Amino acid sequence: MRKQLPPGYFIEALILIILVHFFLPLGHPVYGLWRCVGFLPLSLGVFLNIAADKKIKQYETTVKPYEESRALVTDGVFGVSRNPMYLGMVLILGGVALLAGSATPWIIVGGFSVLMDKLFIGPEESMLEQKFGEQFRQYCHLVRRWL
């Protein structure tokens, strides 16, 4: 049986955000045109994912969390966040939550962040430390996990 990859969880979280907004909306802290502010994190999230994917392809390493990396990517968007793709997904979800306007979707955004950290980021970083040792530890010292 194949393990689910982060994009699968992302799509599920996106669907859940929409469902809870329409069927379990709690409060509406963002009203009217202010909801359009959601396009900012949404756009930034898309940019981060595209830029990170291009950088990973440039280094000819894998984007899949269960595969061994062939290179430690530390420049470009990886110089700002050790996990720009996960950060991008969270920003997209946050943007959608802002666009929705109700408070309930933020539960999904927070849950997704914790899930990615526990299921993928922690194990990925352990694998990178094992493979790249001191080089990875120095990178961790210079660049934060999320932002």
Side-chain angles (χ1 to χ4, degrees), residues 56-127:
I56 285 172
K57 286 179 181 168
Q58 177 186 340
Y59 279 81
E60 297 178 352
T61 190
T62 184
V63 70
K64 294 181 181 175
Y66 303 116
E67 293 180 3
E68 185 176 340
S69 295
R70 291 184 290 274
L72 180 61
V73 182
T74 61
D75 61 329
V77 292
F78 288 91
V80 177
S81 170
R82 294 196 314 256
N83 298 283
M85 294 181 118
Y86 296 117
L87 177 59
M89 286 186 250
V90 169
L91 286 169
I92 292 168
L93 294 174
V96 172
L98 281 169
L99 289 168
S102 63
T104 321
W106 290 100
I107 298 167
I108 307 303
V109 176
F112 178 83
S113 302
V114 170
L115 190 69
M116 292 301 101
D117 199 64
K118 299 298 178 208
L119 289 182
F120 298 104
I121 295 173
E124 283 178 35
E125 290 195 344
S126 292
M127 286 172 50

